[in-house]
Each structure stands twice: as structure tokens, then as C-alpha cells.
Amino acid sequence: MKLQRPFLIIIFFLVFQNLHAQPKWMVNVGGGFYEPTLTGFDSNTEMPETNFMTSNVLYGFGLSYEFFHNARVGLLNNYSLHSGSTISGTDFSRTIAYRTIVLETYFMFFRRFEMNFTLGPMINGGTIRLDASGTVNEWDTLLSSFGNNSIGIPSSEKMTTTWFGFTSMIGLRFYVFSWLALDVRSGFMNNWYDEKKWKFQGETVTGPKLKLDELPLFTFRLFLTW
């Protein structure tokens, strides 16, 4: 049985609207690529060796909301991760976190394609953690009095830092479905990192030398929308 013209018009209208209506909320996961100069990690023989995955690859996620026609606001997180063992065998991990407050505008130039522009201030941070096992004399003595052998007690310490930055990017997004989109972007970020402003156990210490200013940046993300 053939559908009458009014039903075909209604179905076409619903499908057309579903493809064109912009969602309000968007969550994303993905990654990126950049080329920082991590002198303090690359030349440090005490730490595990760096490589492309630990130096140049970013892992990220984010959330955005359309608060006005063709304008969004959101949060975007990118992480550079490195882990392994020091030369003495202690577990080591390093995280550089790039956190952006995203301000974004966009326009649709084909039915499924979007061009977007992003500006955002950044509140970034770094963490270096060492996890070691040792003994505490008082506990060792007490346990020995009960007939125990020496027992290693785990200890974890970290040093941290925070700095500000700024990013600007231009991107292209393709809506596979009304609820799923693929996004690629390129741009730059600038960071005002200071190696002399790390904190360890409440004290200010000097951290690794890192060159993070004027960095070209490329990202790719998968968006789920509603």
C-alpha cells in the first residue's frame, strides 16, 4: 500500500529536521598531537625513557552546551601521560593536564558539515608521582617482636604545579547521525609555565624544564549529542 502524499511530506519533514536541528548538549572523547620540548624529562636519566606516545600524544574528553544560536560554552581536557620505573626501580608517573574553558562559535555550510572556531583560557597543571616501598623503624621493630620478618610499607609522594594558558582553534565537524559527530581541529596553545613554581610537601621547589609556549595543536574527537 502506497503512502499518501501528506504522510510522505510529514516523514520528510521529520527526517530533515532531525538532521539539521543542532543539539544543546555534547560530550566528546578523543585525542590530539602536539610537539612540546620536554627537556626536563627527555634528558633525565633517572626517569623512564620518553617516546612519541608519552611526549606528543594527548588523550582527552569534554562537555559543551549551546547557550545561544551558533554559540557554545564548555570544558575541554587534554592529558599527556607518562609512566614506568625509575633507574632504581621505583614506580614513576607523570601527568600534564591542559584544561580549557571553551568559547565556541560555528556555522553550517552543508547539511551535515559544520565549521567551528574556538577560543579559550586554560588552567593547566603538572603532577610527578613516585610510589616506593620502604620500612618504618617503629613498625619494623614491633612486627619483629611478634616473630615477623621485615615488611615493606608503601609510600607515595607527588610534586605538583599550576599555570595559565590560552588556546585558539578552527575545526570541521561531520554529523554522521543527529546524535553522533566526528570533529577535527587545528590551532595553537600558549602556556605560561614556570619551572620554579612546583610544590612538594608544601615547599616551593624547581621542576623540569619544559617549553610549552606557542605550540601548534591538532585534535580529533568523537561527539555524542542530544
Side-chain angles (χ1 to χ4, degrees), residues 23-39:
K24 291 293 184 181
W25 289 97
M26 297 184 172
V27 295
N28 66 80
V29 294
F33 169 82
Y34 76 145
E35 294 184 302
T37 303
L38 307 180
T39 306

Side-chain angles (χ1 to χ4, degrees), residues 11-73:
I11 292 174
F12 176 80
F13 176 79
L14 291 175
V15 172
F16 183 82
Q17 286 293 100
N18 193 41
L19 290 174
H20 283 72
Q22 284 297 302
K24 291 293 184 181
W25 289 97
M26 297 184 172
V27 295
N28 66 80
V29 294
F33 169 82
Y34 76 145
E35 294 184 302
T37 303
L38 307 180
T39 306
F41 295 116
D42 294 339
S43 61
N44 194 318
T45 57
E46 293 295 323
M47 299 179 184
E49 291 185 5
T50 58
N51 53 46
F52 176 80
M53 296 300 295
T54 60
S55 298
N56 303 108
V57 174
L58 297 170
Y59 309 89
F61 64 92
L63 171 70
S64 59
Y65 174 74
E66 184 178 309
F67 68 95
F68 190 72
H69 179 63
N70 284 22
R72 305 185 186 107
V73 63

Side-chain angles (χ1 to χ4, degrees), residues 34 38 41 47 54 58 77-82 92-99 122-130 157-165 191-201 203 205-210 212:
Y34 76 145
L38 307 180
F41 295 116
M47 299 179 184
T54 60
L58 297 170
N77 299 276
N78 285 300
Y79 298 93
S80 172
L81 307 175
H82 186 196
F92 162 89
S93 64
R94 183 269 294 161
T95 302
I96 300 177
Y98 302 100
R99 310 179 188 95
M122 306 176 72
I123 305 174
N124 306 319
T127 302
I128 298 174
R129 182 188 296 274
L130 293 178
E157 295 290 350
K158 64 180 180 179
M159 54 188 293
T160 61
T161 189
T162 302
W163 69 90
F164 294 99
N191 293 279
W192 294 282
Y193 167 79
D194 189 343
E195 66 192 69
K196 296 182 179 180
K197 293 186 177 180
W198 284 76
K199 294 289 185 179
F200 180 72
Q201 294 185 342
E203 299 291 333
V205 298
T206 300
K209 292 183 178 181
L210 309 175
L212 303 175

Side-chain angles (χ1 to χ4, degrees), residues 1-16:
M1 181 178 179
K2 295 183 177 181
L3 293 174
Q4 297 181 2
R5 182 173 297 178
F7 290 102
L8 292 176
I9 293 174
I10 292 173
I11 292 174
F12 176 80
F13 176 79
L14 291 175
V15 172
F16 183 82

Side-chain angles (χ1 to χ4, degrees), residues 140-161:
D140 207 29
T141 301
L142 179 62
L143 290 170
S144 296
S145 70
F146 299 144
N148 297 282
N149 295 323
S150 179
I151 295 176
I153 300 174
S155 173
S156 179
E157 295 290 350
K158 64 180 180 179
M159 54 188 293
T160 61
T161 189

